[in-house]
Amino acid sequence: MSDMSEVRKKQDAFLDKWISGEGIEFVSEETKAAYQERAGLLAAAFRLDDSIKRVPVMPMTTFAPTMMKGISGREAMYNPDAAGQAYVDFCETYQPDAAGAAPMLMYGPALETLKYNLYKWPGQGVPENLSYQFHEKEYMTADEYDKLISDPTDFYLRTWMPRTHGALAPFADMPPVYGAMELPMLGPWLIGIGAPPMQEALKALMEAGKQCFDWINTMGAYLNKIMAMGFPFYAGGACKAPFDVISDSFRGTTQLMMDLYRKPDKVLEAVERLVQPMIDAGVAGAVANNNPIVFIPLHKGADGFMSNAQFEKFYWPTLKKVMYGLAEAGCIPGCFVEGGYNQRLEYLADTSDIRCMYLFDRTDMAKAAETLGGKVCIAGGFPVSMILTSTPEKVEEETKKMIDVAGKDKGYILSIGCALDEGKHDTMLAFCNAAKKYGQY
Amino acid sequence: MSDMSEVRKKQDAFLDKWISGEGIEFVSEETKAAYQERAGLLAAAFRLDDSIKRVPVMPMTTFAPTMMKGISGREAMYNPDAAGQAYVDFCETYQPDAAGAAPMLMYGPALETLKYNLYKWPGQGVPENLSYQFHEKEYMTADEYDKLISDPTDFYLRTWMPRTHGALAPFADMPPVYGAMELPMLGPWLIGIGAPPMQEALKALMEAGKQCFDWINTMGAYLNKIMAMGFPFYAGGACKAPFDVISDSFRGTTQLMMDLYRKPDKVLEAVERLVQPMIDAGVAGAVANNNPIVFIPLHKGADGFMSNAQFEKFYWPTLKKVMYGLAEAGCIPGCFVEGGYNQRLEYLADTSDIRCMYLFDRTDMAKAAETLGGKVCIAGGFPVSMILTSTPEKVEEETKKMIDVAGKDKGYILSIGCALDEGKHDTMLAFCNAAKKYGQY
Amino acid sequence: MQELIDAIADMMEDKVLELTQKYLDEGKDPAEIFDAYQSAMEEIGRRFEANTYFVPELIMAGEMMKAGSELIKPHLKEDAAGDKSGKIGKYLIATIEGDIHDIGKNIVGMILDLNGFEVMDLGVDVPADKIIEAAKEFQPDIIGLSGLLTLAFDPMKAFVEKLTAEGLRDKFKVMIGGAQMDQQVCEYIGADAWVTDAVAGVNKSKEWLAA
Amino acid sequence: MQELIDAIADMMEDKVLELTQKYLDEGKDPAEIFDAYQSAMEEIGRRFEANTYFVPELIMAGEMMKAGSELIKPHLKEDAAGDKSGKIGKYLIATIEGDIHDIGKNIVGMILDLNGFEVMDLGVDVPADKIIEAAKEFQPDIIGLSGLLTLAFDPMKAFVEKLTAEGLRDKFKVMIGGAQMDQQVCEYIGADAWVTDAVAGVNKSKEWLAA
């Protein structure tokens, strides 16, 4: 890694650009100032800025804004206007310091076109009122590590996507693209592309792409409105820990756990291979959205999934490389540390030389503050059960406690430690208001 | 490498399957017998079979069959019926032991659809009566080695093809396919696919594929007819030496020669990286066409292009790996050794433990026979100038000499050492007949 | 048998199967061999509680148990193989209606089985009525509900309410499991206990049966 | 200057430029430095003939010569830089009509230039008439035709016929070059000589001029 102070400068430059709201057509000077204040608060937290005025509040919503308005999961995935408006309303009502982004809900018609089977979604495998859910399977066989390692894109296109996108099954028969290297080899390659099943697959891909293009053009108006109203989004890009790519949607949980014993070398080689792709994916989103925060959900490194020794060998080195790669590009790795991480906090402290954030789920926030406070920005930890099953008074009380515990080093962002697929108005309001009330430094 | 006797068994099995004519609907029992005899002759040469009856004759044609009938290069590339018929007529007239394949001429409309600029072809950059010609350029920059090395398919799709196929220029803006790993990241990736220029590019690709698919369906009738008439084709698949991929259509001749001095490590890494892709490409064709011979034109390893030390470091190791990889899949590497190889013959002798063929261009055939005779099958060496500028009598005389020099170890195939873009009827006839006349063992 | 027990506990897959085959070939008592597996599972459970072992080890243990069982079963007497007399209790498990995740439920079911419970697994996305129906039929000591997502909270609550409405609430212990379960949710749902890892669930279950 | 000559001949690109700059800074005679490059080129040619050096070295030599010239030129007097008095002959080179390949022609042109010829390069796919026109204008000692493909044979033949028809055949030596050239083709075309590598072509040309 290069000199970290230079890296931090790049990160700060990107943050400053984001804070400025450059390119956003604000409704008024007041909303522009509000945007700059909110983004500034978050940035100050990332920077562990002692002069920060208060704890930012950042509820991490997925389907909650739509569910809370009585919009079904299916409607949210099929009607971008309804979804977009719900997100706008959420911001207006609860005035968070960072907004969630409706495109996370994804667009149902495109998934239908692709005959997507990696997830089931409302009306397609799960009830219409619910949110989409992952369909765990072995989408990569044990003997395919070498394919993934030697040519990731080839593996994706000709092996993995045919399995996860029913309409793209013919891609399995696509001749390798190397065949296009010159004449006369190009001919046979093109013949493969011209075969009817391949043509149908390409047609489906084009159609799904077009559907998403139209969808984002509709959704974009609401995204712009949210920003114009003064709310920054809590992420610009997203990627994953290399280990999680393989364990989530490639080999699957059970299979990969066994691979740790049966073919550890291949696992290591594969996760190493995916470092750069993940950096590229994260930076691309951040730049495209002019928002330096790259959301990284951490999955199988949580307490209970593997030992520290395994974590140290299989999980942490490549995750760290991804984080530093993002930082070198000026991005802020925003790790959503799912599950508990009490056994891993020391590792996280290692990244104190770059700007980054760890949003915790069920980690003991007192321990997190103790280990990480003053070193890296921490966030979250507030139990989702409080929001879903408790009272406003209780929520306010618990919020105050959380701020007292986690906020003393001034690098804390108040957040619920769970992505919100559901929510309650009174408790949500209490949560957001309590942040303003008790979060002043 | 595994036990070579097992490899040779697999090669022999594939050869036997090819010889049998399985799947071919022969015109008659006589033509079936003729097919089996001709294929058997070639296979015997590959096997260095002492019981072989005569020297097979295999003129390696490209545009010659069409040119000799007064069909222009453009017509040959645009009218598959004319081209196919010309190849049928060539076989009927000259009765070679192995036929060339008209698809080598490629299909002009598909190239137009792709706005292909790697080659200029008749009516598009070269006169209509000529054949297509390569347009040498730097299609890969010096700083792109790492891209090629880390993810070859990604490099092809998003960097190289946009440069060589004008209609696919938008592929340069395709988001990396890793973005499709799951929800919600799939959304942004599909949006990129949905952008109008990308849609146009995919449409062009589909169109060109369809054009080629239709073209091969037309051409296929003639190919089948040639086989039904009793003529095996001289190759089923094709690939290249890894070094040549980079020096021909990636970096280009001049640039790569300098890379040998300026960044030799990257060159080595890159050629190593391309070994498996080349194996895959070659095997795919052989299997698809049920013909084990994989044509490999050797380019920049010829005498004069580099020293033996450079050859030993940059060229030979990976070429050898490709050849053995093909052999392990049951294929017969058929190397077209262009230019002179007098300084490299010892290296070629190293492959005597697999079935393979070396068809020479301007190599001294006496030296080739001396170094390689009884070890590997050799072919070619007959000067193209004899066919194009000499007399039938002279041709007959020279053919006899060539057979005497090269054929004594019984692993020789008579062939002109240059791909035939032009030809003369009287000398061509003399050449083919002389093989029957003087080639009997 | 200690060598076999150690091999299993230490995750040496190849050695485990090799030793198992060897002992069978030597004519050792298949039931004893099977007991060795059981002992190893207990050791693995202890290491899991001690935070030495984690999910990979649980999964590997299950795989070895499965493979070993395949080798042993042909040597066991039919009645012995089918004998339920060793079972310490009955456990009905399901992923609640609306949630289609099975990984957690599968792991818990496997560990329960390894720990001597007779387990009936209803699968995923199971409506309350179906669970109650199965409970009446199977008469489990414990009904275990799994839910990976927060959307599981209300269906679980509805299940407990239905159970109560049918006057069956006191007949069965209800345990809930999943990543987002906590005391607050447990009270909200009206369950008897909540866990976020399988071994804790097993221990709680044994504790209930011992009472 | 030997160190510089050796560095160039041994393909040490960085050292070559470093030494060149050093000598210029030290005030050494720029013409002498330039001569060192010439000497090195001769050495490289000898190694090429000896089959020690090949195309990569020819190309690298050209690159170093080009880079070195850029450094030296500003220090040479204008007349010296443009002086043609050192040229040993004039060479007109082209790839013949129908053939669009330039790599071979470019390499030969570069080597000729390095060996003291004044070279006029007409490019690729050049019709016979244009070559003759240029020859009348430029009055080369030698006309060199390049052709990579066999389709070049007939246009070259046509060129020689035209040259003859215009009564110019004896005024110019005609050399043909390219991978498929041989004596048979040379006679067919009516050229004075044929080569398949650049250095052979240069040597033949010098031989003609010496006669």
Side-chain angles (χ1 to χ4, degrees):
Chain A
M1 283 157 192
S2 51
D3 174 21
M4 287 304 109
S5 69
E6 287 303 312
V7 169
R8 286 195 299 277
K9 278 181 192 164
K10 287 176 80 173
Q11 290 182 300
D12 286 341
F14 202 166
L15 279 169
D16 289 335
K17 185 164 181 270
W18 173 57
I19 295 168
S20 75
E22 177 185 317
I24 299 171
E25 287 184 27
F26 292 102
V27 168
S28 66
E29 286 301 313
E30 289 80 15
T31 57
K32 179 177 184 180
Y35 175 96
Q36 290 175 338
E37 183 189 349
R38 293 185 174 115
L41 277 177
L42 290 162
F46 299 148
R47 292 168 169 150
L48 309 178
D49 184 350
D50 199 56
S51 66
I52 189 175
K53 290 184 165 50
R54 73 169 165 80
V55 173
V57 58
M58 186 176 86
M60 194 172 40
T61 56
T62 48
F63 280 82
T66 50
M67 296 287 188
M68 290 171 75
K69 287 181 78 80
I71 295 171
S72 72
R74 182 174 177 87
E75 179 80 358
M77 290 183 69
Y78 282 77
N79 182 342
D81 285 299
Q85 187 58 50
Y87 268 72
V88 168
D89 294 346
F90 185 91
C91 287
E92 278 179 337
T93 305
Y94 303 106
Q95 298 281 317
D97 291 312
M104 285 187 75
L105 308 186
M106 198 48 198
Y107 192 45
L111 300 181
E112 288 188 26
T113 298
L114 289 169
K115 295 189 167 75
Y116 194 62
N117 53 37
L118 194 61
Y119 277 73
K120 296 179 189 297
W121 64 95
Q124 298 278 345
V126 306
E128 293 198 356
N129 61 314
L130 301 183
S131 53
Y132 56 70
Q133 299 184 39
F134 186 74
H135 182 221
E136 173 109 4
K137 265 191 67 158
E138 194 178 334
Y139 295 107
M140 170 181 154
T141 61
D143 60 2
E144 284 170 343
Y145 273 99
D146 282 331
K147 272 188 174 185
L148 170 63
I149 293 161
S150 69
D151 193 340
T153 297
D154 184 73
F155 174 74
Y156 262 85
L157 277 181
R158 304 196 310 120
T159 304
W160 186 81
M161 290 182 89
R163 292 177 182 153
T164 53
H165 303 65
L168 304 184
F171 277 19
D173 297 317
M174 186 195 293
V177 74
Y178 326 124
M181 63 186 140
E182 61 176 278
L183 301 189
M185 296 89 155
L186 176 65
W189 188 72
L190 284 174
I191 291 168
I193 297 294
M198 188 69 61
Q199 295 263 308
E200 290 302 310
L202 286 165
K203 223 174 276 178
L205 179 62
M206 287 178 65
E207 175 61 18
K210 188 167 185 309
Q211 286 168 317
C212 283
F213 187 76
D214 294 341
W215 165 69
I216 202 64
N217 278 344
T218 301
M219 186 68 82
Y222 297 96
L223 302 177
N224 282 347
K225 184 167 184 182
I226 287 174
M227 287 189 283
M229 286 163 51
F231 300 94
F233 288 108
Y234 63 65
C239 65
K240 295 178 71 165
F243 186 94
D244 287 334
V245 176
I246 303 180
S247 77
D248 288 341
S249 53
F250 281 22
R251 295 284 288 134
T253 309
T254 306
Q255 301 302 328
L256 182 54
M257 293 306 170
M258 293 193 284
D259 288 348
L260 296 189
Y261 281 92
R262 293 173 171 167
K263 42 185 75 191
D265 291 344
K266 287 303 178 189
V267 173
L268 282 175
E269 217 177 331
V271 294
E272 190 68 41
R273 198 67 188 70
L274 289 170
V275 166
Q276 192 61 46
M278 287 302 107
I279 295 173
D280 293 344
V283 173
V287 170
N289 292 301
N290 196 27
N291 178 332
I293 306 169
V294 176
F295 179 78
I296 314 176
L298 304 190
H299 286 158
K300 301 295 162 57
D303 295 343
F305 281 118
M306 58 175 73
S307 65
N308 273 353
Q310 287 163 335
F311 181 83
E312 209 165 297
K313 180 178 181 184
F314 295 108
Y315 197 94
W316 179 240
T318 43
L319 169 58
K320 195 176 179 187
K321 281 181 184 176
V322 169
M323 291 176 69
Y324 276 73
L326 293 170
E328 280 160 25
C331 296
I332 309 292
C335 297
F336 178 24
V337 190
E338 299 177 34
Y341 248 68
N342 299 304
Q343 296 175 352
R344 323 272 201 235
L345 292 172
E346 299 294 345
Y347 296 96
L348 304 187
D350 258 4
T351 61
S352 62
D353 55 350
I354 58 170
R355 310 271 188 241
C356 62
M357 174 193 73
Y358 294 109
L359 194 156
F360 292 102
D361 177 2
R362 299 177 68 103
T363 300
D364 179 334
M365 290 309 285
K367 285 186 62 169
E370 177 189 346
T371 308
L372 301 174
K375 296 173 179 164
V376 293
C377 172
I378 61 177
F382 191 85
V384 65
S385 57
M386 282 286 145
I387 300 291
L388 297 182
T389 68
S390 184
T391 64
E393 296 73 27
K394 184 70 171 165
V395 165
E396 182 170 331
E397 178 187 338
E398 290 295 322
T399 304
K400 182 172 188 304
K401 282 187 196 166
M402 182 61 63
I403 291 173
D404 290 342
V405 165
K408 54 185 188 292
D409 287 301
K410 290 189 171 176
Y412 176 65
I413 298 173
L414 180 68
S415 190
I416 296 152
C418 180
L420 288 157
D421 268 349
E422 305 92 21
K424 271 173 43 181
H425 169 63
D426 55 353
T427 48
M428 182 71 72
L429 191 60
F431 178 74
C432 291
N433 287 344
K436 319 281 176 42
K437 186 171 175 183
Y438 302 111
Q440 306 291 334
Y441 287 116
Chain B
M1 284 159 192
S2 52
D3 174 20
M4 287 304 108
S5 69
E6 287 304 312
V7 169
R8 287 197 298 277
K9 278 179 191 164
K10 288 176 79 173
Q11 290 182 300
D12 286 342
F14 202 166
L15 277 170
D16 289 337
K17 186 162 178 277
W18 173 55
I19 296 168
S20 75
E22 176 185 318
I24 300 171
E25 288 183 27
F26 292 100
V27 169
S28 66
E29 283 304 313
E30 290 76 18
T31 56
K32 179 176 183 180
Y35 175 96
Q36 289 173 339
E37 181 191 349
R38 292 182 175 119
L41 276 178
L42 289 163
F46 298 149
R47 292 167 169 151
L48 307 178
D49 184 350
D50 199 56
S51 67
I52 187 173
K53 288 184 167 51
R54 73 170 166 80
V55 172
V57 59
M58 187 176 82
M60 193 170 44
T61 56
T62 48
F63 280 81
T66 51
M67 296 286 188
M68 290 170 73
K69 289 181 75 76
I71 295 171
S72 72
R74 183 174 177 87
E75 180 80 358
M77 290 183 70
Y78 282 77
N79 183 343
D81 286 298
Q85 187 58 49
Y87 267 71
V88 167
D89 294 347
F90 185 91
C91 288
E92 280 179 335
T93 303
Y94 304 105
Q95 298 283 318
D97 290 314
M104 285 189 75
L105 307 187
M106 198 49 198
Y107 191 44
L111 299 181
E112 287 187 28
T113 298
L114 290 170
K115 295 190 167 80
Y116 193 62
N117 52 37
L118 193 62
Y119 277 73
K120 295 176 192 293
W121 64 94
Q124 298 279 345
V126 306
E128 294 197 355
N129 60 314
L130 301 183
S131 54
Y132 54 71
Q133 300 184 39
F134 186 75
H135 182 220
E136 173 108 4
K137 264 188 69 142
E138 195 178 332
Y139 295 107
M140 171 182 151
T141 61
D143 59 3
E144 284 171 342
Y145 274 99
D146 283 330
K147 271 188 176 185
L148 170 63
I149 293 161
S150 68
D151 193 339
T153 297
D154 184 73
F155 175 74
Y156 262 85
L157 277 180
R158 304 197 312 120
T159 304
W160 187 81
M161 290 182 88
R163 292 177 183 155
T164 53
H165 302 65
L168 305 185
F171 277 17
D173 296 318
M174 186 195 292
V177 74
Y178 326 123
M181 61 185 143
E182 62 177 276
L183 301 190
M185 295 89 154
L186 176 66
W189 188 73
L190 283 174
I191 290 167
I193 298 294
M198 190 69 63
Q199 296 262 308
E200 290 300 305
L202 286 165
K203 223 175 276 180
L205 179 62
M206 287 178 65
E207 175 62 18
K210 187 168 184 309
Q211 286 169 317
C212 284
F213 188 77
D214 294 340
W215 165 69
I216 204 63
N217 280 343
T218 301
M219 185 70 81
Y222 297 93
L223 302 177
N224 284 342
K225 184 169 183 181
I226 287 172
M227 287 188 284
M229 285 163 54
F231 299 95
F233 289 107
Y234 64 65
C239 65
K240 293 178 70 163
F243 186 95
D244 287 334
V245 176
I246 304 180
S247 77
D248 288 342
S249 54
F250 280 23
R251 293 286 287 136
T253 308
T254 305
Q255 300 302 328
L256 182 54
M257 294 304 169
M258 292 192 286
D259 287 349
L260 297 188
Y261 280 93
R262 291 174 170 167
K263 41 185 76 190
D265 292 344
K266 288 301 177 191
V267 174
L268 283 174
E269 220 178 330
V271 294
E272 190 68 41
R273 199 67 189 70
L274 288 170
V275 167
Q276 191 60 46
M278 288 302 107
I279 295 172
D280 293 345
V283 173
V287 169
N289 292 302
N290 195 28
N291 177 331
I293 306 169
V294 175
F295 178 79
I296 314 176
L298 304 190
H299 286 155
K300 301 293 162 54
D303 295 344
F305 280 119
M306 59 176 73
S307 65
N308 274 352
Q310 288 162 335
F311 181 84
E312 206 164 300
K313 180 177 180 185
F314 295 107
Y315 197 95
W316 179 241
T318 42
L319 169 58
K320 193 174 180 188
K321 282 181 184 176
V322 170
M323 292 176 69
Y324 276 72
L326 293 170
E328 281 160 24
C331 297
I332 310 292
C335 298
F336 177 24
V337 190
E338 299 177 31
Y341 248 68
N342 298 306
Q343 296 175 352
R344 324 274 201 231
L345 292 172
E346 299 295 344
Y347 297 96
L348 304 187
D350 261 3
T351 62
S352 61
D353 54 351
I354 58 170
R355 309 273 188 241
C356 62
M357 174 195 72
Y358 294 109
L359 193 157
F360 292 101
D361 176 1
R362 298 176 68 100
T363 300
D364 179 334
M365 291 309 286
K367 287 186 63 172
E370 175 189 347
T371 309
L372 301 173
K375 296 174 181 164
V376 293
C377 171
I378 62 177
F382 191 85
V384 66
S385 58
M386 283 287 146
I387 300 292
L388 298 181
T389 69
S390 184
T391 64
E393 297 71 27
K394 185 68 172 169
V395 165
E396 183 170 331
E397 177 187 341
E398 289 296 323
T399 305
K400 181 174 187 304
K401 280 188 198 167
M402 182 62 63
I403 292 173
D404 290 344
V405 166
K408 55 184 185 295
D409 287 301
K410 292 192 171 176
Y412 176 67
I413 298 173
L414 180 67
S415 189
I416 297 155
C418 179
L420 288 158
D421 269 348
E422 305 93 20
K424 275 174 38 181
H425 168 62
D426 55 353
T427 49
M428 182 71 71
L429 190 59
F431 177 76
C432 291
N433 288 343
K436 317 296 177 29
K437 185 171 174 182
Y438 301 110
Q440 304 294 332
Y441 286 117
Chain C
M1 288 298 170
Q2 192 58 41
E3 187 178 16
L4 177 57
I5 296 172
D6 289 344
I8 298 170
D10 291 341
M11 301 293 139
M12 300 164 80
E13 188 177 18
D14 293 338
K15 185 166 183 183
V16 166
L17 298 182
E18 177 192 324
L19 283 178
T20 302
Q21 189 62 58
K22 178 170 170 252
Y23 291 164
L24 288 171
D25 292 344
E26 287 171 359
K28 286 190 187 312
D29 182 354
E32 271 187 46
I33 301 176
F34 194 80
D35 284 344
Y37 275 85
Q38 296 279 32
S39 300
M41 289 308 141
E42 287 167 19
E43 175 58 20
I44 289 170
R46 280 192 288 279
R47 294 185 191 183
F48 184 89
E49 290 181 64
N51 271 338
T52 306
Y53 272 11
F54 301 89
V55 170
E57 286 75 26
L58 292 186
I59 293 173
M60 281 299 293
E63 282 291 303
M64 289 187 284
M65 176 61 125
K66 191 188 307 170
S69 293
E70 294 299 311
L71 294 180
I72 299 167
K73 273 199 174 89
H75 294 81
L76 290 170
K77 294 184 183 59
E78 180 57 42
D79 59 315
D83 179 27
K84 290 188 170 57
S85 67
K87 296 304 182 184
I88 66 175
K90 297 172 85 174
Y91 207 112
L92 178 65
I93 194 168
T95 298
I96 195 66
E97 180 174 24
D99 193 319
I100 67 169
H101 296 90
D102 64 349
I103 300 294
K105 167 186 66 59
N106 290 351
I107 292 176
V108 173
M110 180 189 69
I111 303 298
L112 287 168
D113 183 59
L114 292 178
N115 277 269
F117 282 88
E118 180 186 356
V119 179
M120 182 179 186
D121 184 343
L122 296 181
V124 298
D125 191 15
V126 189
D129 290 337
K130 191 170 173 187
I131 302 175
I132 292 175
E133 189 67 28
K136 289 172 177 173
E137 175 72 28
F138 183 64
Q139 289 294 319
D141 299 292
I142 302 165
I143 297 174
L145 301 178
S146 181
L148 183 72
L149 305 174
T150 50
L151 63 83
F153 293 176
D154 287 313
M156 287 180 175
K157 187 174 199 291
F159 166 79
V160 172
E161 284 164 355
K162 272 189 170 170
L163 203 60
T164 306
E166 293 200 28
L168 298 170
R169 182 64 187 84
D170 294 334
K171 279 184 63 63
F172 310 109
K173 287 292 194 184
V174 175
M175 180 181 287
I176 58 175
Q180 294 302 319
M181 301 305 165
D182 62 19
Q183 183 61 30
Q184 174 82 30
V185 175
C186 186
E187 290 169 10
Y188 175 77
I189 289 169
D192 297 303
W194 63 275
V195 296
T196 55
D197 77 66
V199 174
V202 173
N203 289 342
K204 187 65 174 176
S205 302
K206 284 179 172 178
E207 181 184 312
W208 279 342
L209 294 187
Chain D
M1 289 295 170
Q2 191 58 41
E3 187 177 14
L4 176 58
I5 296 173
D6 290 342
I8 299 170
D10 292 340
M11 301 293 137
M12 300 164 80
E13 187 176 18
D14 293 337
K15 186 168 182 182
V16 167
L17 298 181
E18 178 192 324
L19 283 177
T20 303
Q21 190 61 58
K22 177 168 167 260
Y23 291 162
L24 289 169
D25 292 342
E26 287 171 359
K28 286 196 190 312
D29 184 354
E32 274 187 42
I33 302 176
F34 196 79
D35 286 344
Y37 275 84
Q38 296 279 33
S39 301
M41 290 308 141
E42 288 168 17
E43 174 59 21
I44 290 168
R46 282 193 286 278
R47 295 186 192 184
F48 184 89
E49 290 180 66
N51 272 338
T52 306
Y53 273 8
F54 301 88
V55 170
E57 285 77 24
L58 291 186
I59 292 172
M60 281 299 294
E63 283 289 305
M64 288 187 284
M65 178 58 130
K66 192 188 305 170
S69 293
E70 293 299 311
L71 294 180
I72 300 167
K73 270 200 177 90
H75 293 82
L76 290 170
K77 296 186 183 60
E78 179 57 42
D79 57 313
D83 180 28
K84 291 189 168 59
S85 66
K87 297 301 184 184
I88 66 175
K90 298 170 87 173
Y91 207 111
L92 179 67
I93 194 169
T95 298
I96 195 67
E97 182 172 23
D99 193 320
I100 66 170
H101 295 90
D102 64 348
I103 300 292
K105 166 187 67 58
N106 289 350
I107 293 176
V108 173
M110 180 188 69
I111 303 296
L112 287 167
D113 183 61
L114 293 178
N115 278 270
F117 281 89
E118 181 188 352
V119 180
M120 182 179 184
D121 184 343
L122 296 181
V124 298
D125 191 13
V126 189
D129 290 334
K130 193 170 173 188
I131 302 175
I132 292 175
E133 189 68 29
K136 289 171 176 174
E137 174 74 28
F138 183 63
Q139 290 293 320
D141 299 292
I142 301 165
I143 298 174
L145 301 179
S146 181
L148 184 71
L149 305 175
T150 50
L151 63 83
F153 295 173
D154 288 313
M156 287 180 177
K157 186 173 199 294
F159 166 78
V160 172
E161 286 165 353
K162 273 187 171 172
L163 202 60
T164 306
E166 292 199 29
L168 298 170
R169 181 67 186 83
D170 294 335
K171 278 182 65 63
F172 310 108
K173 287 292 194 184
V174 174
M175 181 183 287
I176 58 175
Q180 294 303 319
M181 301 306 164
D182 61 19
Q183 184 61 31
Q184 173 80 30
V185 174
C186 186
E187 289 168 12
Y188 174 77
I189 289 169
D192 296 303
W194 65 274
V195 296
T196 55
D197 78 65
V199 174
V202 172
N203 290 340
K204 187 66 174 174
S205 301
K206 284 179 170 177
E207 181 184 312
W208 279 341
L209 293 188

